[in-house]
Amino acid sequence: MNKHDLFQQFVAFTATLHQVTQTLTQNVKLDHITALQYKILEYIQVSQAVTATEISDCLHISLPNTSRELRKLQERKLIEKTNDKLDRRKQVIRLTIDGEKMMTEAFACIEEQFSQLIQGASQKDVEAISEALAVLEQKVFQNKGQ
Amino acid sequence: MNKHDLFQQFVAFTATLHQVTQTLTQNVKLDHITALQYKILEYIQVSQAVTATEISDCLHISLPNTSRELRKLQERKLIEKTNDKLDRRKQVIRLTIDGEKMMTEAFACIEEQFSQLIQGASQKDVEAISEALAVLEQKVFQNKGQ
DNA sequence: TCCACTACTTATCATTTGATAACAAAACGA
DNA sequence: TCGTTTTGTTATCAAATGATAAGTAGTGGA
């Protein structure tokens, strides 16, 4: 196995994962939340407190478009912005209680689909999958920066 | 590690992989090919010969929209449709020589980015990554159907 | 033969997303 | 202090995507 073969395998894997992800999430009816808004909410949830610039950089959305989507999410009371004390240009963005509730519900729905996907997995399989995910996180995504 | 924890890990992993994928592919300038068209071309390439319905099902694009994108790709001479001898309703879709060339170039570009991502990986790491991908393919995507 | 069904197309419309220009406010460095 | 950079906003336009209705042609079963 050389790096070229690994690349081929990685591409195929990625394509499959994208399809699976879409299958898992397609039944989640999130009351007028678009795919992009969902991605933003998901990012905020895992990162806890972020700025608009961080969202823009990490999700590869231009800052004006990020700002627009954040405004919509704020109007829907799913996120809230608070001023950064140290740098008053910045805004710290967090999920509101409503936002967290919505994401929790969405995750519950996705988790149900997910558990069907791995229903055949034994305890040993679960450990193996977890270990595999950890390996990829560590060895591939380690320096994912910029 | 129970299945709920595994789900959490899986979600975080998926989000990260989406970001990494976008980073890898964002410099690929494919001469007026959209993201959706790229996905379709990628799917055709790995599957070799497919029908419109298969693309529609696997990529979760409605058949009318699939048909529209395929027409555009055909106009650009990137794919070709041939009639199925056994069932004349069906059309077998393949990449043209031009289409294959374009995908090969795109992959070369992405592979360059990818190799930067794993530049620090030793031979042993490469084997470990490959093994991890195989585990996930086998234990998670195994029955990804419908 | 007739009817229901599948595979695909065309057309149309609304919505989402991307891209860009222009702006304001704060920070930062010389 | 003054010019530059960073952070974010609003506005506007074009393009991509999603959704749906309606239609054609072929298949296959009763």
Side-chain angles (χ1 to χ4, degrees):
Chain A
M1 170 65 69
N2 57 38
K3 287 190 178 181
H4 176 72
D5 292 338
L6 182 65
F7 172 68
Q8 300 283 353
Q9 190 186 2
F10 182 79
V11 168
F13 173 82
T14 302
T16 306
L17 183 65
H18 275 76
Q19 289 172 226
V20 169
T21 303
Q22 208 155 1
T23 303
L24 289 180
T25 55
Q26 71 186 339
N27 291 326
V28 184
K29 256 293 150 253
L30 278 177
D31 200 39
H32 299 289
I33 290 294
T34 70
L36 190 64
Q37 287 167 1
Y38 176 80
K39 265 177 64 176
I40 292 175
L41 290 174
E42 188 184 66
Y43 181 74
I44 297 172
Q45 192 184 37
V46 301
S47 307
Q48 297 296 348
V50 291
T51 66
T53 301
E54 284 169 349
I55 294 173
S56 172
D57 288 345
C58 291
L59 300 185
H60 306 285
I61 308 164
S62 73
L63 197 53
N65 291 336
T66 303
S67 178
R68 173 183 59 196
E69 299 308 320
L70 287 176
R71 177 174 47 73
K72 290 178 192 167
L73 290 171
Q74 190 179 26
E75 281 166 7
R76 309 273 297 281
K77 306 220 186 302
L78 297 172
I79 64 166
E80 58 191 359
K81 303 176 184 173
T82 55
N83 291 325
D84 187 319
K85 303 291 182 199
L86 297 173
D87 185 340
R88 284 187 299 164
R89 289 170 307 179
K90 292 185 182 175
Q91 298 196 322
V92 181
I93 295 160
R94 287 193 187 78
L95 294 184
T96 60
I97 302 293
D98 280 0
E100 285 191 27
K101 213 169 89 180
M102 164 174 267
M103 289 306 285
T104 302
E105 284 170 18
F107 271 46
C109 183
I110 298 169
E111 184 167 358
E112 197 169 333
Q113 303 288 118
F114 178 75
S115 57
Q116 284 180 31
L117 200 64
I118 58 161
Q119 63 186 346
S122 66
Q123 179 60 31
K124 214 172 150 185
D125 288 339
V126 169
E127 306 285 350
I129 294 167
S130 176
E131 180 60 30
L133 292 173
V135 166
L136 295 176
E137 295 260 16
Q138 191 200 325
K139 304 218 187 271
V140 183
F141 302 157
Q142 183 181 37
N143 53 348
K144 64 171 190 282
Q146 112 277 30
Chain B
M1 170 65 68
N2 57 38
K3 289 190 177 181
H4 177 71
D5 292 339
L6 182 65
F7 172 69
Q8 300 282 353
Q9 191 186 2
F10 181 80
V11 168
F13 173 82
T14 303
T16 306
L17 183 65
H18 275 77
Q19 289 173 225
V20 169
T21 303
Q22 207 155 2
T23 303
L24 290 179
T25 56
Q26 71 185 340
N27 291 326
V28 184
K29 255 293 151 252
L30 278 178
D31 201 37
H32 299 288
I33 292 292
T34 70
L36 190 64
Q37 287 167 2
Y38 176 80
K39 265 177 64 177
I40 292 175
L41 290 174
E42 187 184 65
Y43 181 74
I44 297 171
Q45 193 184 38
V46 301
S47 308
Q48 297 298 346
V50 291
T51 66
T53 301
E54 284 169 348
I55 294 173
S56 172
D57 287 346
C58 290
L59 301 185
H60 307 284
I61 307 165
S62 74
L63 197 52
N65 291 336
T66 302
S67 178
R68 173 182 59 195
E69 299 308 319
L70 288 176
R71 178 175 47 73
K72 290 179 192 168
L73 291 171
Q74 190 179 27
E75 281 166 5
R76 309 273 298 279
K77 307 218 186 303
L78 297 172
I79 64 166
E80 58 192 359
K81 304 177 185 174
T82 55
N83 290 326
D84 187 320
K85 303 290 181 199
L86 296 173
D87 186 338
R88 285 188 299 164
R89 290 170 305 179
K90 291 186 182 175
Q91 298 197 322
V92 181
I93 295 160
R94 287 193 187 79
L95 293 185
T96 60
I97 302 292
D98 280 0
E100 284 191 27
K101 213 168 88 180
M102 162 174 266
M103 289 307 283
T104 303
E105 286 170 18
F107 271 45
C109 183
I110 299 170
E111 183 166 358
E112 197 170 332
Q113 303 288 117
F114 178 74
S115 56
Q116 285 180 31
L117 200 65
I118 59 161
Q119 62 185 345
S122 66
Q123 179 59 30
K124 216 173 149 185
D125 288 339
V126 169
E127 306 286 350
I129 293 167
S130 176
E131 181 59 31
L133 292 173
V135 165
L136 295 175
E137 295 260 16
Q138 192 201 324
K139 304 217 186 272
V140 183
F141 302 157
Q142 183 181 35
N143 54 349
K144 63 171 190 282
Q146 111 281 39

